[in-house]
Amino acid sequence: AQSVAQPEDQVNVAEGNPLTVKCTYSVSGNPYLFWYVQYPNRGLQFLLKYITGDNLVKGSYGFEAEFNKSQTSFHLKKPSALVSDSALYFCAVGSSASKIIFGSGTRLSIRP
Amino acid sequence: KAGVTQTPRYLIKTRGQQVTLSCSPISGHRSVSWYQQTPGQGLQFLFEYFSETQRNKGNFPGRFSGRQFSNSRSEMNVSTLELGDSALYLCASSLELAGHTEEQFFGPGTRLTVL
C-alpha cells in the first residue's frame, strides 16, 4: 500500500537557522516525490520534485530535498530560514500511474 | 497560461442536499485529481481522472462521485450531504509524461459548508 508520513505536526525554527521538515514514504516501485507549500488563505504551490536522477533536488525559494532510498525519506531543507517561510508544508508520493497521496502536513513557524 | 479554476468558490448547503463542484484544468493537462482538505485530516485523495476515465479512487463513500469531460474539465458531485462533508475541496491538474504524473497545479478550492 502507498503511504506517506510527516511525523511532526509543527516545526519551530529561529530566523537564519537551518530548517528540516521530515517526510518518509512507502510505495511499490519507483517513487515520485513532491513537496508543496500552502500559505495562509492561498492555494497549494509546488516547491520541488524527485522523479529520477540526482538525489539532491533544488526547488523554489531556496528549498532543497534529499531522496534517500535506503531510509525511504525525502526531507525538505533550507540552509537559512526566513520569517516568510512560515506556512504549511505537504509531502506527497506517487508511482507510475498511481494516485498522488499527501502527508498530513507540517506547520513551519519561523520566529524573528 | 491560465491556472486551474474552480467554481463556485464558496457554497453553503444543508444536510441531505447534493452539490456539484466544477474544475477547469490548465490547458493541455489531461489528469485531474480531487482532494478534500480539513483541519483534522489534512489532504485526502478523492479520485483522479485521466482522459475521461477514473484512474484512481480514494477511500470515500459512494456519495462522492466525479466525471471528466472530453475537454478535460471535471466535476465532482456529493449527494446526501452530511455535516462532516464541510471542507475545502481542491482540484489539481497535471501533465502525464513517460507514464507518470508530473507535479500538480492546484486551484483555489471550493469551500463547502454543510449546515
Side-chain angles (χ1 to χ4, degrees), chain A residues 32 34 36 38 44 46 49 51 96-100 102, chain B residues 35 37 43 45 56-57 90 99-104 106:
Chain A
Y32 305 129
F34 307 87
Y36 291 83
Q38 188 174 37
L44 274 154
F46 168 74
K49 67 182 177 186
I51 302 295
S96 177
S98 80
K99 58 191 178 186
I100 305 292
F102 283 73
Chain B
Y35 295 87
Q37 185 176 18
L43 271 168
F45 174 79
N56 289 292
K57 190 176 187 306
L90 293 167
H100 67 261
T101 303
E102 289 286 314
E103 66 268 24
Q104 294 172 302
F106 283 81

Side-chain angles (χ1 to χ4, degrees), chain A residues 26-85:
Chain A
S26 173
V27 68
S28 299
N30 294 322
Y32 305 129
L33 296 156
F34 307 87
W35 276 102
Y36 291 83
V37 60
Q38 188 174 37
Y39 297 102
N41 300 316
R42 292 172 64 179
L44 274 154
Q45 297 176 34
F46 168 74
L47 270 181
L48 50 80
K49 67 182 177 186
Y50 172 83
I51 302 295
T52 186
D54 195 351
N55 289 346
L56 183 65
V57 294
K58 295 185 184 296
S60 306
Y61 311 120
F63 284 94
E64 59 187 30
E66 185 165 14
F67 169 62
N68 188 316
K69 189 173 182 178
S70 63
Q71 297 185 5
T72 61
S73 67
F74 190 58
H75 301 331
L76 181 70
K77 299 183 180 186
K78 188 172 182 181
S80 179
L82 299 173
V83 172
S84 58
D85 293 330

Side-chain angles (χ1 to χ4, degrees), chain B residues 1-88:
Chain B
K1 205 177 222 183
V4 177
T5 57
Q6 292 186 245
T7 56
R9 293 291 311 278
Y10 302 92
L11 265 178
I12 299 176
K13 294 285 187 179
T14 56
R15 279 182 300 172
Q17 287 187 307
Q18 76 162 21
V19 66
T20 298
L21 313 181
S22 181
C23 171
S24 292
I26 290 173
S27 178
H29 288 190
R30 290 193 291 162
S31 171
V32 175
S33 297
W34 288 89
Y35 295 87
Q36 181 194 66
Q37 185 176 18
T38 57
Q41 298 295 320
L43 271 168
Q44 300 291 313
F45 174 79
L46 280 154
F47 26 66
E48 182 211 2
Y49 286 87
F50 182 80
S51 293
E52 302 179 65
T53 301
Q54 188 181 85
R55 185 163 67 173
N56 289 292
K57 190 176 187 306
N59 298 321
F60 278 79
R63 299 185 297 106
F64 292 80
S65 63
R67 59 178 175 169
Q68 187 180 33
F69 302 95
S70 58
N71 61 358
S72 292
R73 190 177 70 85
S74 178
E75 289 181 346
M76 68 163 280
N77 183 279
V78 188
S79 62
T80 319
L81 283 165
E82 300 178 359
L83 294 179
D85 297 334
S86 295
L88 181 66

